[in-house]
Amino acid sequence: MIDFENARFLKLTACDPQKSLDILENMLLPGEEIAASFKSIRDRVIFTDRRVIAVNMQGLTGKKTDYTSLPYHRIQAFSVETAGHIDLDCELELWFSGLGRVLFEFSAGAEIEQLARLIAGAVLPSPHSLSGMDR
């Protein structure tokens, strides 16, 4: 399980979604699709169309694995920091109801805007659901 007191994933780089699919094939729901996949030295973070899955390889051999599923519907707020001219890294912070904050740091080249769009689409109400509300 993610340590939400120190929930930080450092320097994630994009990786082949097919390799992540091989790791998660028995854990995904029918119809659930991988939207983006990232890895660090041993761990992975996979964004599907329904949730974030953090894969933590444990032990010396990495045979013991922890899978933490963070559903988008539990996100209360999120923040995106894009890359600059000197600092090429970018960040995504997610605040989960009842769980806490998770910070993902991505290496240069991560398409953070696409992740922000994915998260926004999953957590923000659709315009149709707002049409009956007083503004």
Side-chain angles (χ1 to χ4, degrees):
M1 178 78 169
I2 293 175
D3 173 9
F4 284 95
E5 295 296 319
N6 302 302
R8 186 177 199 123
F9 290 87
L10 300 173
K11 304 297 184 217
L12 295 165
T13 58
C15 66
D16 182 8
Q18 184 59 46
K19 290 185 180 178
S20 294
L21 182 60
D22 293 344
I23 292 169
L24 295 177
E25 67 183 326
N26 294 325
M27 300 187 83
L28 296 178
L29 296 171
E32 185 175 13
E33 294 183 19
I34 293 176
S37 181
F38 300 89
K39 66 178 180 176
S40 62
I41 295 170
R42 289 177 21 145
D43 301 333
R44 289 182 186 264
V45 176
I46 296 109
F47 293 82
T48 77
D49 55 348
R50 300 179 187 191
R51 58 187 163 160
V52 180
I53 302 171
V55 181
N56 180 3
M57 303 296 199
Q58 300 177 345
L60 294 174
T61 63
K63 289 193 179 217
K64 183 175 180 179
T65 306
D66 174 74
Y67 300 89
T68 300
S69 178
L70 303 164
Y72 294 142
H73 73 269
R74 298 290 303 242
I75 296 174
Q76 290 183 309
F78 65 97
S79 171
V80 173
E81 180 182 292
T82 61
H85 292 292
I86 296 173
D87 181 8
L88 299 177
D89 297 339
C90 48
E91 295 179 355
L92 172 65
E93 277 185 286
L94 304 173
W95 285 268
F96 289 90
S97 172
L99 297 174
R101 177 185 74 101
V102 178
L103 172 65
F104 299 101
E105 289 185 29
F106 299 93
S107 299
E111 297 181 8
I112 195 74
E113 292 87 358
Q114 288 183 345
L115 283 179
R117 192 175 311 118
L118 173 70
I119 301 297
V123 302
L124 299 175
S126 71
H128 303 294
S129 66
L130 296 175
S131 61
M133 297 178 70
D134 293 332
R135 296 180 197 195

